[in-house]
Structures are given as structure tokens and as C-alpha cells.
Amino acid sequence: MISSDLFLSVVEAHKGIIYKIAHSYCSDPEDRKDLVQEIIVQLWRSLHRYNDQYKYSTWIYRVSLNTAISFYRKQSHHKKIVSDLPAGILYETPLAGTGPEQNDLDLLQQFIADLREFDKALMLLYLEEKSHKEMASIMGISETNVATRIGRIKQQLKQNFAIVKDR
């Protein structure tokens, strides 16, 4: 069991993981704040189950992704209720960069946002350059399953880009 001071320093040292996951699962800034708070609460609640055989970052990824997926599911129910409203009313439109690279990055972010929750989590870890072994440990699946899923997701993303480019 780690102390509350150590817990706070671990969260501070790895807060980038928490914010990246929150940003990946929530487009609304207020929802993101709620998710960050929920992740920290869940980390605190699961502290007694932390296994020091793993790195803190692995534990934080696992708890954060599971919390984000649960949060996303709850939020998707809420989104169904307000889906008839124009997006401009509910969400501030972010300022976009310029140039083809920014357009491709925006498309990639949109394509990843449209993935199923589990696949989105895998892509987030992939883009963080986590090894298949780390991803498997975080997601609770085999390394072979990670490799297969990543390959399929990459193929799907390539197809999405091809469709957009053909327009």
C-alpha cells in the first residue's frame, strides 16, 4: 500500500496519461474535467489492488482506460437525448490549423474518435508508442490479440483516408 503523498506524486508524474485519455474520450471540456476527476477517484479506490510488479504507468493506463470507457458509455446515453440539436449549440468549435498536414491530423483524430471504445484505447496506446507487451498488460489481452487488432484498425483507418481522398 502506498501513502497518500506517494499517490499524489505518482498521479502528478503521470498526469499526462490521464489527460490524453480524457481528451481522447471527451470532446467537451467540461466532460473532460469530470472524466479526469473520475479517473483520479478510481485510481485512489483501486490503490489497494496496485501490484508493484507493474510500472505505475501501466496501472494508471489500465484504470484510466477502464474508467474512460465506462464514462463514455454513460455519456453516449446522454448524447442520444441531445442528438437532435445542432453540434454548434452544444460544443465550441475548435480553431483548426492550416495546411494539408493539419487536415490529415484532424481526419485521423476524427477517425479514431469514431472507433469502438476498446479499439480507441488500443490506438491511443499505439500512438503513445507502447510495446505490444505493455498494451497487452494494460488492456488485459494477449500480445497476439494486440497485434491483430492494431493491424485491423490501421487497415480501417487507411480505408477511411482513401474514401475521403477519393471525394
Side-chain angles (χ1 to χ4, degrees), residues 11 14-25 32-33 35-37 39-40 64 124:
V11 169
H14 295 89
K15 68 184 177 185
I17 293 169
I18 297 168
Y19 285 105
K20 286 174 191 169
I21 290 171
H23 184 58
S24 295
Y25 280 83
R32 254 181 285 188
K33 288 178 189 175
L35 179 54
V36 167
Q37 289 177 350
I39 288 170
I40 293 170
S64 298
L124 178 65

Side-chain angles (χ1 to χ4, degrees), residues 19-123:
Y19 285 105
K20 286 174 191 169
I21 290 171
H23 184 58
S24 295
Y25 280 83
C26 296
S27 59
D28 179 61
E30 293 304 313
D31 288 345
R32 254 181 285 188
K33 288 178 189 175
D34 291 343
L35 179 54
V36 167
Q37 289 177 350
E38 184 63 23
I39 288 170
I40 293 170
V41 167
Q42 293 306 319
L43 285 168
W44 178 253
R45 287 183 178 162
S46 68
L47 187 58
H48 68 283
R49 291 188 307 249
Y50 171 70
N51 182 346
D52 60 5
Q53 172 185 352
Y54 299 103
K55 295 188 277 184
Y56 286 125
S57 61
T58 300
W59 171 65
I60 290 172
Y61 265 116
R62 188 169 199 149
V63 172
S64 298
L65 286 169
N66 287 333
T67 303
I69 289 168
S70 295
F71 187 87
Y72 177 81
R73 287 179 180 150
K74 290 176 192 171
Q75 291 302 97
S76 60
H77 174 71
H78 172 72
K79 287 180 183 178
K80 288 178 187 174
I81 295 170
V82 295
S83 65
D84 292 335
L85 297 174
I89 291 174
L90 298 174
Y91 303 106
E92 182 178 327
T93 306
L95 297 174
T98 58
E101 294 86 13
Q102 184 62 44
N103 291 340
D104 286 349
L105 180 58
D106 292 343
L107 280 173
L108 178 61
Q109 288 175 337
Q110 181 58 49
F111 294 152
I112 291 172
D114 292 342
L115 292 172
R116 293 176 299 186
E117 298 105 41
F118 195 87
D119 292 344
K120 187 186 309 185
L122 276 175
M123 282 310 296

Side-chain angles (χ1 to χ4, degrees), residues 125 128-138 143 146:
L125 295 171
E128 286 290 313
E129 299 180 348
K130 297 295 177 190
S131 69
H132 284 115
K133 184 176 183 176
E134 286 177 292
M135 286 189 263
S137 176
I138 291 166
E143 289 181 56
V146 167

